Amino acid sequence: MIRLELSGEHTRLHSTLCGQCPQGPAGCCVSPPELDWTDIGRIVSLGGRAWLLEQIAAGNLLPVSRGLALRRVRKREERAAPRRAKCVYHGPRGCTVPAERRAATCNYFLCEDAFAERADGRADPASDASRRAHALLREVYSRWDRELAEAVAGRPEGPPWDAAFLDWLGAEFERLSSAARGELAALAAPG
């Protein structure tokens, strides 16, 4: 069963399949996405600048050319299970950080298995709307990230990874988000 939580650029898709992922207990957290420039700006705009600086200092978020990579750690899911590399933020019950601190992909991605028919053979009524939301979010975030990547590349000193740089990314995210209100209107909750 799929549940679509509409909230513009912060829209989230949920699936009951994730709790029993056919790919294993860590599911897609085995290969976590990077926090790209847009993700970092989104996190800052939602009040997460101090958290980002903490996590960079702790080595859980690692500067890379496209933003921040999430450190992978080797952990066991169960006492007798082999250790598997997975996202540093994956715990026994899934992600240990709130949605506003995750890569947008973590909030809107569902694998193809989640979109498959329900056990009773009928299509999930939320499947089509969720696919459309996923496609729109992927397109919008990709476009914003290309724009931010150009701006970051134009900085001769490179990203300084300090509070001022993060604040700039947060302001740029808010600017892009505001300019796309009409495009994202389909992802706004009614009312």
Side-chain angles (χ1 to χ4, degrees):
M1 173 91 106
I2 296 173
R3 183 171 58 90
L4 182 59
E5 185 179 315
L6 295 173
S7 185
E9 64 276 19
H10 307 295
T11 291
R12 295 176 57 199
L13 280 71
H14 307 272
S15 171
T16 53
L17 180 69
C18 294
Q20 300 114 10
C21 181
Q23 305 303 318
C28 48
C29 297
V30 171
S31 297
E34 291 177 348
L35 292 177
D36 60 30
W37 303 117
T38 306
D39 290 320
I40 297 164
R42 183 179 142 273
I43 291 168
V44 170
S45 78
L46 295 170
R49 181 185 71 182
W51 179 82
L52 285 168
L53 290 170
E54 265 175 32
Q55 295 305 302
I56 292 167
N60 291 327
L61 298 175
L62 311 164
V64 294
S65 64
R66 293 172 310 278
L68 294 167
L70 282 75
R71 185 167 63 97
R72 292 176 65 202
V73 295
R74 295 184 66 76
K75 292 183 181 177
R76 295 181 201 280
E77 299 300 328
E78 300 169 356
R79 206 184 244 343
R83 291 182 188 275
R84 293 186 67 186
K86 62 182 184 173
C87 177
V88 67
Y89 301 115
H90 185 268
R93 294 190 174 151
C95 191
T96 60
V97 295
E100 56 274 359
R101 301 288 184 264
R102 298 179 196 152
T105 302
C106 294
N107 290 331
Y108 70 71
F109 174 79
L110 290 179
C111 70
E112 199 54 40
D113 288 339
F115 287 113
E117 293 179 349
R118 300 184 320 193
D120 62 9
R122 296 182 313 176
D124 188 325
S127 183
D128 288 342
S130 296
R131 281 184 190 278
R132 285 190 302 275
H134 176 263
L136 177 59
L137 288 165
R138 187 177 60 211
E139 192 279 318
V140 166
Y141 272 94
S142 294
R143 187 177 69 235
W144 292 353
D145 198 54
R146 285 189 302 273
E147 185 175 329
L148 289 176
E150 279 185 36
V152 171
R155 293 171 161 258
E157 74 283 0
W161 297 110
D162 59 12
F165 174 69
L166 295 178
D167 287 344
W168 172 78
L169 280 172
E172 285 298 296
F173 176 85
E174 289 175 8
R175 178 186 64 78
L176 292 166
S177 176
S178 180
R181 286 286 177 239
E183 183 178 14
L184 295 169
L187 298 177

